[in-house]
Amino acid sequence: MTRGVLVGRRPAPGEVADAYDAVVIGSGAGGLTTAVCLARQGRRVAVFEQHYTAGGYTHAYRRRGWEWDVGIHYVGQLAPREPVRVLSDYLTGGALRWAPLGDPYDEYRLGGEVHRAPVGFDAYRAGLIARFPAERAGIEALFRLIARCRATMPALALGRLSGPVARRLARLLRAAAVPPEALRPAREVVAGLVRDERLRQAVLTPSVLLLADSSSRLPFFLLAVLFEHFRTGAWYPVGGSAAIARALAEPVRAAGGEVFVRTPVARITLDGTRATGVVLADGTRVRAPVVVSAAGAHHTYRTLLPRPSGAAPESDPLEGLRNGYPFVLLFLGLDGDPAELGLPRHNLMVTDGDCDAFFDAGAGKGVLDGGTGPAPGGGPAGSAAPTSGLFLSFSCAKDPTWTARHPGRSTGEILAFVDPELFAPFRGSRWRDRDPEYLALKAALTERLLDRLYRELPRTRGRVAYHELGTPLTAEHFAGWPGGSLYGLAKDVAAFGDGRGPGLADRLRPRTAHEGLYLSGQDVLAGGFMGAVTGGLLAAHEALDRRGRARLWTGLLASATGRSRGASDLA
C-alpha cells in the first residue's frame, strides 16, 4: 500500500487514552460525520477503526501502483445551499472539494436500449416524453408525484429522533406533506402511472441497481429520493474518495481527538443499562460518557453488546429485518489514459432489460451476462437467474487531478449483486487463505465481468493490465457487514412501514435503549453516502446536550446561508 492514500494511524503502544468525551466505533461516512459534529462542539473524540485505513466504503486503496475507490462513485445535492453541500462545508470548513460530472450523469443500457439521465427535472421529463410520447400524461404525473415525496425523508428522519417536539413535527409533516404512495412499492406505483414496460424499466432501473433490491420491495419514496438527489447533477470528490475521510479527520484532531486504525473494538462496556466505554481487541479499556456505534446495527447488537440471557425474540431490535444483498466488485487497472480508452465520466448501468428479475428470483447462482456460457459453480448455459445488472464506474475520468497523479493509467470498477448463498460454502475461511474452489469461482465471475466490459467499452479490450475481484467475504472481512452487504440492513417496505404503522426499522433509532449509546450510519435511516451522513448527523444531535445541539444547528445554518468559510469547486 502507498502511504499517501491511507487515512488515520495505528496508535503507538499506550497512546490510546483511558478516557475521552466520546468514542466512535467505525470510521465510515456516518461515524466520521458524528465524530466531527461532536468535535466541533468541543468534544474530544476517539474513532476506532478495525481496517488499516479510515473511511469505510468511502476509502481508497492502492495495489501495485493502481488506485481505486471502493464505494464512492458519485454524490448529489452538492449545488450551493443544497443539503449535502451544506453538510460537507460545515464538516470540513470547505476543505473538501467536489468536481461536477457533467451532463448526463448516468447512462442506462437496458437490453440494448440506451437511456441517459440528464441534469434537471425538466430535461429528464422532456427526454422521456420525446421517447414515449403516448405516455406523456403518465410521465408528467410521475414527476409531480416525485416532487410531492420531497418531505418523506425529512419526516422519517425527524421521526427517528427521541424528543417530543421532533416526534410531533414528524407526525405533522407526514400528515401534511407525505403522500400515501410514498411508502408503497415502487413497482406498484410506477405501474399505476405508465403502461409501457420499457418506460417502466427506464424509470425503475436506477433505484434497483443503486439500492440493491427489487422494485417490488423498495418503497417509492426512495426512487423519488434518487431523482431529487441528482436533480442538479452529480459530483465526485477532488483527489479521489480518500479525500473525504482525510478532510473529516482534521476537525477531530483539531479538538484533541484522533482517528485510530487497526484498532478493533471487542465490546461495549455497560454499567447496568448505561454504556460506559469500550474494550479494544488488545484488552485496552477506554471510558467515555458517549459511545457511538457506526459499525452497523447487526454488529452492534449481535457482537458488541451482550444479549441478556432468556431475552424474548420480540425484544431483539433486529427481529424480522433482512440483510441487504451482497456484491462482487471487479477492480480494473488499464494501460492508457481515460480519454484514450473512451472511459466515460458518467456511470454505466447495464441490464438485459429486466432490472428486477435477479432479485425477484431470490437471486441467481452467480453473475451472468445474459445466459451465454456455463454458470459459475456448474450447470448448463443460462440455467441461473438473470444478473442483477452491472454498474460500471471509472473514477479516473471523474477526478480532475487523476491524470497528473497517474499519467498513462486508468482504473475502474464493475459492481454486481450476487446470490447471498453463492459464497456461503467458503464462509469462515481466512483472507489470503481461501479454498481453491473459491478462487475458481472468482475466476469464473471475473471472466464474465471482463467479457461484458469489452462488449460495452470495446476500446478497453487488450488494455486491462491488472484486475482483482472483491467478494462478499472480502467486504465482510474489511467492513464487518454480515454477509458482505453493501448497505447493511435492507431498506424495504417492511423496514419503513406502510404509513399506517411503524416499520420494523423504526426500532433502530440513533438513541438506543442503553443510556449513552447511540447508533450512526446507514442502518439509522437509509443507505448510501447521503443515508450514512444523515444517520451520523442524527446520532450527533441525540448525543449532544441542549447547548451543543444549538451550536450544531447554528453552524449548519451558517453554512447554508454562506456565512461559513468554504472552498470553490473545480469546473
Side-chain angles (χ1 to χ4, degrees):
M1 291 293 170
T2 302
R3 187 174 181 82
V5 85
L6 299 181
V7 180
R9 61 182 179 83
R10 190 171 190 169
E15 180 185 3
V16 175
D18 64 353
Y20 292 88
D21 296 325
V23 163
V24 175
I25 306 167
S27 69
L32 288 176
T33 294
T34 303
V36 174
C37 288
L38 297 179
R40 289 207 177 280
Q41 317 321 317
R43 273 55 167 183
R44 183 171 175 242
V45 184
V47 180
F48 294 119
E49 169 59 51
Q50 61 93 25
H51 197 12
Y52 55 69
T53 186
Y57 278 130
T58 71
H59 86 266
Y61 81 101
R62 287 180 183 170
R63 186 99 73 217
R64 302 181 186 179
W66 306 96
E67 179 181 321
W68 296 276
D69 293 346
V70 300
I72 289 293
H73 302 117
Y74 57 174
V75 178
Q77 292 189 314
L78 278 158
R81 301 188 182 181
E82 285 195 306
V84 181
R85 163 67 65 190
V86 169
L87 189 55
S88 173
D89 285 351
Y90 171 75
L91 293 173
T92 72
L96 181 58
R97 297 181 297 163
W98 300 87
L101 264 61
D103 194 354
Y105 59 87
D106 269 335
E107 181 177 318
Y108 321 125
R109 299 181 180 181
L110 316 179
E113 287 195 7
V114 177
H115 299 261
R116 294 181 177 87
V119 174
F121 274 10
D122 290 344
Y124 212 130
R125 181 174 51 240
L128 289 178
I129 290 173
R131 192 156 194 165
F132 302 94
E135 295 281 5
R136 171 187 285 272
I139 293 169
E140 291 178 342
L142 173 67
F143 278 86
R144 287 195 298 269
L145 181 57
I146 288 170
R148 288 173 57 209
C149 288
R150 285 174 178 163
T152 305
M153 187 67 85
L156 292 172
L158 278 171
R160 290 288 199 266
L161 298 179
S162 60
V165 173
R167 296 283 186 86
R168 179 171 175 77
L169 286 174
R171 288 195 297 270
L172 291 173
L173 186 58
R174 286 183 69 157
V178 177
E181 296 94 336
L183 296 170
R184 285 166 47 196
R187 184 194 299 175
E188 174 187 318
V189 175
V190 172
L193 295 173
V194 298
R195 298 181 300 276
D196 192 302
E197 181 59 26
R198 294 179 304 129
L199 173 56
R200 293 176 187 174
Q201 289 294 322
V203 170
L204 294 171
T205 293
S207 59
V208 169
L209 291 189
L210 290 174
L211 302 176
D213 212 339
S214 169
S215 63
S216 67
R217 290 187 291 269
L218 291 171
F220 178 80
F221 85 87
L222 287 180
L223 179 150
V225 163
L226 286 178
F227 271 90
E228 179 65 23
H229 188 63
F230 295 114
R231 179 173 56 86
T232 57
W235 285 259
Y236 184 80
V238 175
S241 67
I244 297 173
R246 190 172 293 116
L248 292 174
E250 289 307 311
V252 175
R253 296 189 180 109
E258 184 55 271
V259 178
F260 294 113
V261 300
R262 298 184 185 270
T263 314
V265 171
R267 69 180 188 274
I268 296 167
T269 57
L270 301 175
D271 181 3
T273 61
R274 178 176 180 82
T276 58
V278 299
V279 176
L280 303 182
D282 66 1
T284 301
R285 289 181 174 269
V286 181
R287 294 178 289 116
V290 170
V291 177
V292 180
S293 179
H298 193 283
H299 188 60
T300 303
Y301 284 104
R302 298 286 168 81
T303 304
L304 298 177
L305 282 172
R307 188 170 182 184
S309 58
E314 56 269 21
S315 67
D316 181 358
L318 303 180
E319 181 68 21
L321 289 167
R322 300 163 46 229
N323 284 331
Y325 270 87
F327 64 102
V328 292
L329 187 58
L330 182 63
F331 297 99
L332 304 164
L334 302 103
D335 286 329
D337 62 39
E340 177 189 358
L341 298 174
L343 303 179
R345 295 180 72 188
H346 58 261
N347 303 296
L348 297 180
M349 299 186 202
V350 183
T351 76
D352 61 2
D354 186 347
C355 61
D356 282 324
F358 169 85
F359 299 103
D360 287 344
K365 298 301 180 184
V367 180
L368 302 183
D369 59 6
T372 60
S383 63
T387 177
S388 66
L390 306 181
F391 182 95
L392 294 84
S393 175
F394 300 92
S395 55
C396 59
K398 302 172 185 178
D399 179 7
T401 72
W402 175 270
T403 53
R405 294 189 294 123
H406 303 282
R409 285 190 160 195
S410 296
T411 59
E413 304 85 43
I414 307 176
L415 182 147
F417 297 98
V418 296
D419 184 342
E421 298 304 315
L422 185 62
F423 287 88
F426 313 110
R427 191 158 290 123
S429 61
R430 301 184 63 182
W431 184 52
R432 291 182 173 173
D433 187 24
R434 306 288 195 192
D435 189 286
E437 291 187 16
Y438 170 85
L439 301 179
L441 175 58
K442 286 182 61 173
L445 293 170
T446 297
E447 182 180 355
R448 291 178 177 277
L449 294 175
L450 287 174
D451 181 64
R452 178 50 68 96
L453 168 71
Y454 301 145
R455 280 192 278 161
E456 301 300 332
L457 297 169
R459 286 156 68 180
T460 63
R461 187 178 294 275
R463 309 300 291 273
V464 176
Y466 181 82
H467 58 73
E468 63 178 60
L469 186 76
T471 74
L473 300 191
T474 315
E476 201 168 31
H477 173 82
F478 286 111
W481 292 101
S485 167
L486 184 60
Y487 299 123
L489 297 169
K491 310 303 187 283
D492 57 15
V493 289
F496 285 106
D498 59 5
R500 295 185 293 272
L504 296 175
D506 197 53
R507 302 187 295 254
L508 298 176
R509 300 176 182 277
R511 182 183 293 271
T512 74
H514 298 278
E515 187 179 355
L517 175 62
Y518 306 88
L519 284 181
S520 177
Q522 295 185 105
D523 284 339
V524 170
L525 185 62
F529 180 79
M530 182 183 69
V533 297
T534 301
L537 179 60
L538 295 177
H541 171 93
E542 292 286 69
L544 288 166
D545 57 19
R546 183 175 297 180
R547 178 176 295 182
R549 290 176 184 175
R551 292 180 60 186
L552 170 63
W553 293 105
T554 298
L556 285 166
L557 180 61
S559 181
T561 55
R563 294 198 299 270
S564 62
R565 180 172 59 88
S568 61
D569 286 335
L570 297 185

